[in-house]
Amino acid sequence: MAAERDEEPGPGPCCLCPGTAAGKRGMAGGCRCSALPAPRQGVMEEARRRLRQFDVGDKFSRLPLPRAAVLLPLMVRGDRLHLLLTVRSMQLRRSPGEVCFPGGKSEATDKDDVDTALREAKEEVGLQPEKVEVICRLMPGIDKMNNLVTPVVGFIEDTFQVTPNPDEVSEVFVVPLEYFVKPLNYKTFSYKTTSGYLTRIHCFTYDDQEHKRSFKIWGLTAHFAVFLALVIFGERPAFEVDYDLDNLISSSEDNFINLYASIYERKKSNL
């Protein structure tokens, strides 16, 4: 996996912030770290440092599967990391009413997975691409339609005003990232994919005080949220996971390769 070497920023612009020579696609306007309260700045810098160690880049981009990407939008509220999620419109043919991240299938005009995730986020919740500080791409997953789904992680401002596209999104809410390692309402069950691969499905119920209702977060969305929390916090969750937590990078890659191999073998057997 691609990993970026951590460096201590010297005087001047922070090397980890958008709008600098070291920054990737993301927010314009240069370094904002000096304008942030110290606790919030520390939370963001530590998250960036850990996430970049798990950046897979385009390592899996040539696999012969249809491509899709989702944006995992992180924000800091009250010195804690939060994750933005959406509820799919009931008008949609596939998975109506399900909780998911902004995202969708790749289009011919997309340069890469980052472009796909940013375009879809703009279409679904009105998030302008230049308002996202893209940090990394994490280990992809494979959905039930055998699309290769790449999670793109980025920071957004906590003041972002959501404008959901009603054709695609019915609600938008945020969850403390810590909930995906220390949940109050959690269950799990085993699931065998169509290719015969046995995996663990995480299912969280989150009681949202702002919306006065509960949201069920499960499947690939929960899978990405759990992995993101494991990467950033580096601690053992309150439930079992299918990773060697002492070797998270290698074990997550092994899991993905085994899943992909099961799909590839099934395709060969159907020829």
Side-chain angles (χ1 to χ4, degrees):
M1 285 182 199
E4 296 192 13
R5 183 163 55 98
D6 297 318
E7 297 177 348
E8 288 293 326
C14 171
C15 67
L16 294 178
C17 284
T20 67
K24 296 182 179 180
R25 276 173 288 179
M27 294 184 286
C31 176
R32 301 180 183 178
C33 281
S34 59
L36 297 174
R40 182 182 176 191
Q41 177 182 340
V43 166
M44 294 174 70
E45 288 184 356
E46 177 63 13
R48 290 188 188 100
R49 184 188 69 80
R50 292 190 62 87
L51 284 165
R52 290 172 191 256
Q53 296 175 9
F54 286 79
D55 187 1
V56 302
D58 60 358
K59 181 173 183 177
F60 301 98
S61 61
R62 296 184 181 179
L63 292 180
L65 292 174
R67 303 192 60 77
V70 293
L71 181 67
L72 278 53
L74 282 170
M75 65 177 72
V76 179
R77 285 187 175 177
D79 301 331
R80 298 170 69 197
L81 289 169
H82 288 68
L83 198 53
L84 182 145
L85 293 131
T86 70
V87 179
R88 290 172 61 84
S89 169
M90 294 302 295
Q91 303 175 40
L92 294 173
R93 185 165 49 91
R94 187 176 164 211
S95 303
E98 296 284 351
V99 171
C100 65
F101 292 109
K105 292 184 179 180
S106 175
E107 295 186 357
T109 54
D110 296 334
K111 296 177 183 177
D112 54 22
D113 298 317
V114 175
D115 263 14
T116 301
L118 294 179
R119 174 183 52 75
E120 288 284 346
K122 179 181 178 181
E123 293 174 2
E124 292 180 13
V125 297
L127 180 59
Q128 298 298 319
E130 64 271 15
K131 297 295 185 181
V132 183
E133 179 197 348
V134 175
I135 304 297
C136 70
R137 284 172 276 186
L138 293 178
M139 186 64 60
I142 299 175
D143 67 13
K144 57 188 177 183
M145 304 299 292
N146 285 345
N147 294 304
L148 182 71
V149 185
T150 298
V152 177
V153 184
F155 273 112
I156 64 174
E157 296 288 346
D158 64 329
T159 55
F160 164 59
Q161 296 295 310
V162 178
T163 54
N165 177 350
D167 292 334
E168 299 190 57
V169 173
S170 62
E171 293 181 89
V172 179
F173 65 104
V174 298
V175 181
L177 183 62
E178 189 178 22
Y179 195 81
F180 295 106
V181 287
K182 297 178 180 178
L184 297 177
N185 192 334
Y186 169 85
K187 62 182 179 180
T188 186
F189 55 92
S190 297
Y191 173 75
K192 183 175 285 190
T193 68
T194 55
S195 61
Y197 183 80
L198 187 65
T199 187
R200 188 193 308 268
I201 299 292
H202 303 289
C203 183
F204 301 84
T205 300
Y206 178 68
D207 295 324
D208 187 283
Q209 298 304 311
E210 181 180 347
H211 291 79
K212 307 298 183 186
R213 60 160 290 193
S214 297
F215 294 98
K216 179 182 175 182
I217 307 162
W218 70 296
L220 194 57
T221 300
H223 170 83
F224 286 149
V226 168
F227 188 70
L228 177 65
L230 292 175
V231 167
I232 290 179
F233 296 127
E235 62 182 54
R236 194 167 296 276
F239 48 86
E240 293 295 320
V241 291
D242 294 327
Y243 301 112
D244 175 357
L245 295 176
D246 295 322
N247 298 282
L248 187 55
I249 293 178
S250 59
S251 68
S252 63
E253 182 168 344
D254 288 345
N255 286 356
F256 173 75
I257 290 173
N258 289 337
L259 172 59
Y260 173 72
S262 71
I263 294 170
Y264 181 76
E265 288 301 319
R266 183 171 183 266
K267 283 185 174 182
K268 285 203 307 183
S269 66
N270 289 339
L271 293 178

